[in-house]
Amino acid sequence: MHFSSLSLPLTALSLVTPSLAFPQLKLDQRVAQSNSSESRANAVKEAFVHAWDGYMQYAYPHDELHPISNGVGDSRNGWGASAVDALSTAVIMRNATIVNQILDHIATIDYSKTDDQVSLFETTIRYLGGMLSGYDLLKGPASDLVQDSDKVQALLDQSQNLADVLKFAFDTPSGVPYNNINITSHGNDGAATNGLAVTGTLVLEWTRLSDLTGDTEYAELSQRAENYLLNPSPKSAEPFDGLVGSHINITDGQFTDGLVSWNGGDDSFYEYLIKMYVYDPKRFSTYGDRWVKAAESSIKHLASHPSTRPDLTFLASYNEGQLGLSSQHLTCFDGGSFLLGGTVLDRDDFIQFGLDLVKGCHETYNQTLTGIGPESFGWDPKNVPSDQKELFERAGFYVSSGAYILRPEVIESFYYAWRITGQEIYREWVWNAFVAINKYCRTSSGFAGLTNVNAANGGSRYDNQESFLFAEVLKYVYLTFAPENEWQVQRGKGNKFVYNTEAHPVRVAAA
């Protein structure tokens, strides 16, 4: 069903106090809660359709809408990133009209043509992940949504076409790929190293492609590169058990540093370790073992508590004996990662630490003027800006970059906290974040980023709508209030799907 507009009561977009919780609900309260969940889910659908309609009117088939000027952007090679990234969310929302629009578009993409350099990482997580997810969903729990089976098959065919275009990136002496490549000349940017995350965040999508097509080449390419990360060398590249450096030499697969963090550039390597275990615990038991080591070492060596708010927990970085007391919005996926690992492995200590991280990231939202968290923040008492001393005393952090570019990670971890614990407080945190985004970022045609989340009205706005608004932000909010389904994150070992780092759910191998 296509929701062109929804008339919502004002109460549906009101802020809920973070202190509310519902440990014991009476029958009438449960009914009210159910109605509230439905109205909230519908509000998220309305926001999705609002952004989609603006994109289609002003920007399609380009990659992004510029939601203030109603101009266009092509930061992802001009293949229609917003459309492909929106597919799995549209399926989960059961919006057949939008799903069919996207399928029609995907069938026309020529992935062999672009005027720009291609990022192997970004193309894998957005395009390849988006198409594989759509295929798994439409061949599985949403098989009734599309009547034309050829449209669904085209998703897998185009996935293989894209991977065939990209796979030359792995043709290096070590098998560690170049990230920035020229698909026309089969050239690259000449980099000597590749990053931990961009090397270690390919294996889920490329392995899934092999499992679906029966062609093992794609899995072998990505897993060969991953093996250097699972068996790091030299020893200095692993200062703590399971925690590795940030850059790998493309020629020989050796790490070139021992800089450890869960921040951007490193983050999704750790994310995919536990997710590969969820995908297939038999084939990828080593990945799970490595994640456990990284998680235990992070608790022991990287957990950090601001001096003014010792009740909060963040993950520091580490380099040559020194801790870096700063973090990022990107890093706030970490709570969700610990929660997923904790429930799958039946480790209460990981679940509790994950909830501690979720609480810390919630404060980065709860303490700003907009109720939205900053791009980066710190808690080093020696580096507090003079104009943020009051914030540091009250909140336990100061803002390093106040930008918000529609990132999903905090909401993502709230969603995992809700699914793993069942505690209503985490749904209220998701709702509060959505209300704030809807209030400060919404334009007449979509959603724009903010320049300063801790300024009145978010400062000024960035004239860009990232495709991950569709793929991640609106999906995680919707899932929080949506009915139960097999694509929802499950407690314990019951997951039928696992989400890639762009929030595209792919079916686990054993399901």
Side-chain angles (χ1 to χ4, degrees):
M1 183 180 292
H2 189 117
F3 291 89
S4 59
S5 65
L6 284 174
S7 178
L8 296 170
L10 291 177
T11 53
L13 289 177
S14 60
L15 276 168
V16 179
T17 172
S19 63
L20 282 180
F22 306 94
Q24 297 293 331
L25 297 175
K26 297 179 180 178
L27 181 59
D28 58 341
Q29 290 176 302
R30 286 181 183 148
V31 172
Q33 185 68 18
S34 175
N35 291 338
S36 175
S37 294
E38 183 178 2
S39 67
R40 290 177 176 188
N42 285 338
V44 185
K45 286 181 176 180
E46 185 277 332
F48 181 87
V49 171
H50 169 70
W52 177 258
D53 286 348
Y55 168 72
M56 287 297 291
Q57 180 175 354
Y58 298 110
Y60 177 82
H62 295 275
D63 287 337
E64 305 100 6
L65 169 70
H66 292 168
I68 299 173
S69 63
N70 291 330
V72 303
D74 279 316
S75 71
R76 299 296 162 211
N77 303 101
W79 295 323
S82 287
V84 181
D85 242 0
L87 175 59
S88 61
T89 306
V91 172
I92 287 171
M93 291 180 175
R94 299 194 58 79
N95 191 317
T97 300
I98 294 178
V99 169
N100 278 284
Q101 286 177 312
I102 296 171
L103 294 180
D104 289 341
H105 168 72
I106 288 175
T108 69
I109 300 173
D110 185 349
Y111 283 116
S112 70
K113 295 181 180 178
T114 182
D115 294 330
D116 302 311
Q117 197 170 65
V118 173
S119 165
L120 177 64
F121 165 76
E122 294 286 358
T123 306
T124 291
I125 66 171
R126 300 192 198 211
Y127 288 107
L128 185 58
M131 292 188 296
L132 290 172
S133 176
Y135 181 82
D136 275 341
L137 291 167
L138 292 171
K139 293 289 282 188
S143 59
D144 62 323
L145 205 57
V146 175
Q147 304 306 314
D148 189 341
S149 61
D150 290 341
K151 287 185 177 183
V152 179
Q153 180 60 38
L155 292 171
L156 185 57
D157 294 342
Q158 283 285 59
S159 295
Q160 193 162 13
N161 290 339
L162 176 56
D164 286 342
V165 168
L166 299 174
K167 65 186 180 183
F168 78 90
F170 294 92
D171 187 13
T172 67
S174 66
V176 172
Y178 287 97
N179 185 60
N180 300 310
I181 55 176
N182 184 316
I183 62 173
T184 302
S185 68
H186 279 203
N188 55 70
D189 63 354
T193 63
N194 204 357
L196 180 65
V198 294
T199 305
T201 315
L202 309 170
V203 66
L204 176 60
E205 296 86 351
W206 287 67
T207 296
R208 185 59 184 158
L209 179 60
S210 281
D211 287 352
L212 287 171
T213 62
D215 186 336
T216 61
E217 180 184 20
Y218 311 110
E220 290 167 354
L221 288 172
S222 63
Q223 291 172 30
R224 181 186 178 195
E226 186 85 13
N227 281 338
Y228 291 102
L229 313 182
L230 299 173
N231 303 281
S233 181
K235 290 184 178 180
S236 59
E238 190 175 4
F240 305 116
D241 206 12
L243 294 174
V244 298
S246 295
H247 296 90
I248 306 95
N249 187 294
I250 292 174
T251 301
D252 60 15
Q254 298 278 299
F255 277 81
T256 61
D257 62 48
L259 171 59
V260 166
S261 87
W262 288 65
N263 297 337
D266 303 310
D267 45 2
S268 47
F269 162 67
Y270 297 107
E271 175 186 357
Y272 271 31
L273 290 179
I274 190 61
K275 288 184 173 179
M276 289 306 292
Y277 177 81
V278 174
Y279 179 72
D280 192 332
K282 293 182 179 179
R283 267 189 291 170
F284 300 106
S285 60
T286 299
Y287 289 62
D289 293 342
R290 289 295 294 179
W291 184 87
V292 168
K293 290 180 178 180
E296 290 176 341
S297 290
S298 296
I299 293 172
K300 183 176 181 180
H301 299 289
L302 302 184
S304 180
H305 310 285
S307 59
T308 57
R309 287 289 303 274
D311 59 310
L312 301 183
T313 302
F314 300 117
L315 286 180
S317 58
Y318 174 89
N319 191 31
E320 296 182 348
Q322 298 294 318
L323 288 178
L325 304 184
S326 64
S327 191
Q328 302 168 341
H329 196 291
L330 283 165
T331 318
C332 282
F333 86 96
D334 54 7
S337 183
F338 272 84
L339 286 159
L340 177 63
T343 193
V344 169
L345 300 170
D346 195 21
R347 288 280 300 263
D348 288 341
D349 55 336
F350 291 156
I351 291 176
Q352 185 54 58
F353 189 74
L355 294 175
D356 291 343
L357 293 173
V358 169
K359 176 184 175 182
C361 288
H362 172 253
E363 281 300 281
T364 69
Y365 270 53
N366 193 46
Q367 296 286 350
T368 68
L369 289 177
T370 59
I372 301 172
E375 176 73 3
S376 59
F377 57 94
W379 60 97
D380 187 341
K382 299 177 183 177
N383 291 327
V384 182
S386 58
D387 61 345
Q388 295 193 57
K389 290 182 178 179
E390 186 277 331
L391 175 65
F392 180 63
E393 289 295 323
R394 164 172 50 87
F397 69 91
Y398 51 85
V399 175
S400 305
S401 168
Y404 176 67
I405 62 168
L406 308 175
R407 291 205 187 276
E409 293 80 15
V410 174
I411 294 173
E412 173 186 352
S413 286
F414 292 169
Y415 166 70
Y416 275 89
W418 153 244
R419 293 297 301 176
I420 301 310
T421 70
Q423 294 180 20
E424 288 287 341
I425 185 65
Y426 300 114
R427 291 217 291 181
E428 304 310 324
W429 290 0
V430 170
W431 184 247
N432 287 350
F434 172 70
V435 169
I437 292 167
N438 201 61
K439 177 179 180 180
Y440 292 108
C441 300
R442 187 166 175 143
T443 73
S444 63
S445 58
F447 291 82
L450 305 176
T451 61
N452 188 353
V453 296
N454 204 33
N457 296 313
S460 56
R461 293 193 286 188
Y462 293 116
D463 191 15
N464 191 50
Q465 180 178 274
E466 283 277 1
S467 69
F468 48 68
L469 170 82
F470 294 108
E472 301 187 76
V473 173
L474 296 179
K475 180 186 283 105
Y476 283 126
V477 179
Y478 176 72
L479 285 170
T480 303
F481 302 102
E484 190 63 37
N485 205 297
E486 63 182 85
W487 52 59
Q488 292 272 18
V489 169
Q490 305 294 329
R491 298 177 192 171
K493 300 183 184 298
N495 286 287
K496 303 296 185 183
F497 283 79
V498 63
Y499 286 74
N500 88 333
T501 196
E502 192 79 359
H504 295 305
V506 298
R507 183 175 288 280
V508 302

